[in-house]
Every structure is written in structure tokens, then in C-alpha cells.
Amino acid sequence: ETGVTQTPRHLVMGMTNKKSLKCEQHLGHNAMYWYKQSAKKPLELMFVYNFKEQTENNSVPSRFSPECPNSSHLFLHLHTLQPEDSALYLCASSQGFGGAEDTQYFGPGTRLTVL
Amino acid sequence: AQSVAQPEDQVNVAEGNPLTVKCTYSVSGNPYLFWYVQYPNRGLQFLLKYITGDNLVKGSYGFEAEFNKSQTSFHLKKPSALVSDSALYFCAVRGPYNTDKLIFGTGTRLQVFP
């Protein structure tokens, strides 16, 4: 489980705050993903980066801003969030060569609470 | 459009008994199927996947899954459940095209009682 790490593990923020989530993968992968996990809802894919290029933005509000400076690091910058954005945010990585068998490996997640 | 269904919110089983967690899917073309497990306060851990070949796939921690094309199912199984298997299990499916996304089910909570 140390292949993909996420910090912080827990975050409480007010609606006017700006914060960032960090993800790092140590698996030599080329693709990285942000997912949102809310109670009783399927996992929601937010963003995909492949070889540092954003290849997917799943209609995510602009108050979420991703950044991928290299293939090992992924950030999610947060600003003016809403209480309904409270959720577990999961980062994942994969080889990223586009094959359907490409397996994603997940980090432990950041539990975000927006007050 | 791709979709995956996990019809049971929760499955209860006694320790030592066999367990089954159900998953059905809908996809155009050949499916690529995955099972993940999530323990409390942890991320999803990859268990196993079906790509092609033998319909019975073996994975981590003694789990296996059977691909059934005619029933469009990919049920997760284990011959003898352990209390430590108690967790949230997710089935996921992707279609065969590069543009197909990995679609997750809503999850099934497995509770193994001593």
C-alpha cells in the first residue's frame, strides 16, 4: 500500500479556505487519477493525467484544480469549496499505456470535511 | 454505455463458510473486469482482474472470481471466509476501447461473523 501515498490523510477546511491535496506514486507509472468517493455513491472519476498531460476532466467544478508537475506527483488544489464537497478523495496510478487491462492502484485517500 | 451492478448492499457470512459477492455488468464488446477491496480508512486495494482466457481468475488473499459471459456476471468467491475479510468490495468494468473508462459499482459490504 506504500506504492501510492497521499497527504494529508484528513483535512478540515472552511468554505473560504484554499488548500491542496498531494499524491505521490512510487510505482514508475505514467498515468494518475483523482477520484471522489461519497457515501452510498459510486466512485466518481474527476481527472486523469497521462504522461503529465490532462486527458480527462469529468465535468468537475472549477473550484477543484489539478496539477501534475511530473509522472510521480499529482496535486488537487481546492478553493471556495461547498459542504457537499466533503468526501474521501482518492488518488490512483497505472502504467498508462492505454490498454483496457491497465490496472489502477490506489492511495489511502484524504478525508475532506468542508464546514 | 458501460455499467456495473452490485445487487447486494451487504453480505453476511459465518467464518469458515464459503462467500460470494455478486457483480453483473453491461458493456459493448469484450469486458475487462476488476475486483477491489477497501478496508476502513484505507484506499482501494486491487484483488484480481479478468482480461481473457480462463473464466476462473485467482487473486490475492485466496479470492477468486468467475467470469460468465452468458450471464454477464463476474462474482467474487472465497471457499472459506475469514473475519479479516470483512470490508467493502467493489466490482469495476471497462470496455475494450481506449476511450472506455473504468466504471465502478456502488460496493458490497461483506461482514464475516466469528
Side-chain angles (χ1 to χ4, degrees), chain A:
Chain A
E1 198 171 301
T2 56
V4 182
T5 58
Q6 291 186 244
T7 55
R9 293 293 307 275
H10 300 272
L11 179 62
V12 179
M13 60 187 288
M15 289 191 285
T16 57
N17 291 156
K18 289 185 180 182
K19 296 285 184 183
S20 296
L21 309 185
K22 179 183 176 183
C23 175
E24 184 173 0
Q25 60 94 2
H26 310 272
L27 300 169
H29 288 165
N30 299 295
M32 298 188 78
Y33 309 77
W34 279 117
Y35 285 89
K36 177 182 179 182
Q37 185 179 25
S38 305
K40 301 189 186 299
K41 291 176 70 174
L43 231 60
E44 298 174 52
L45 179 64
M46 301 175 71
F47 301 103
V48 181
Y49 278 82
N50 220 326
F51 292 88
K52 301 188 297 179
E53 297 295 321
Q54 188 179 126
T55 56
E56 184 85 29
N57 178 338
N58 209 20
S59 303
V60 181
S62 59
R63 56 186 185 269
F64 295 92
S65 174
E67 179 190 0
C68 188
N70 54 61
S71 293
S72 298
H73 294 87
L74 184 65
F75 296 88
L76 188 63
H77 303 300
L78 316 171
H79 64 98
T80 60
L81 294 192
Q82 305 298 311
E84 60 264 29
D85 296 323
S86 299
L88 182 68
Y89 288 84
L90 292 166
C91 174
S93 72
S94 71
Q95 288 284 357
F97 292 114
E101 68 274 20
D102 198 25
T103 300
Q104 294 179 25
Y105 295 88
F106 286 79
T110 295
R111 173 71 60 189
L112 174 66
T113 303
V114 181
L115 302 176

Side-chain angles (χ1 to χ4, degrees), chain B residues 2 5-6 14 20 25 27-29 43 50 60 65 67 73 84 87 93 95 99 107:
Chain B
Q2 302 162 221
Q6 293 182 245
T20 299
Y25 66 89
V27 71
S28 299
Y50 172 81
S60 307
F67 171 62
S73 67
S84 57
V93 66
T99 52

Side-chain angles (χ1 to χ4, degrees), chain A residues 1 9 35 37 40-43 45 56 58 88 90 98-109, chain B residues 32 34 36 38 41-46 49 51 88 90 94-99 101-102 104-106:
Chain A
E1 198 171 301
R9 293 293 307 275
Y35 285 89
Q37 185 179 25
K40 301 189 186 299
K41 291 176 70 174
L43 231 60
L45 179 64
E56 184 85 29
N58 209 20
L88 182 68
L90 292 166
E101 68 274 20
D102 198 25
T103 300
Q104 294 179 25
Y105 295 88
F106 286 79
Chain B
Y32 294 81
F34 302 77
Y36 286 84
Q38 186 176 32
N41 301 313
R42 309 277 279 274
L44 276 66
Q45 292 181 36
F46 170 69
K49 66 181 178 184
I51 304 301
L88 191 56
F90 290 93
R94 179 191 282 129
Y97 307 107
N98 286 343
T99 52
K101 301 175 195 175
L102 187 63
F104 286 85
T106 51

Side-chain angles (χ1 to χ4, degrees), chain B residues 78-93:
Chain B
K78 187 173 183 182
S80 178
L82 299 172
V83 172
S84 57
D85 292 330
S86 299
L88 191 56
Y89 290 81
F90 290 93
C91 181
V93 66

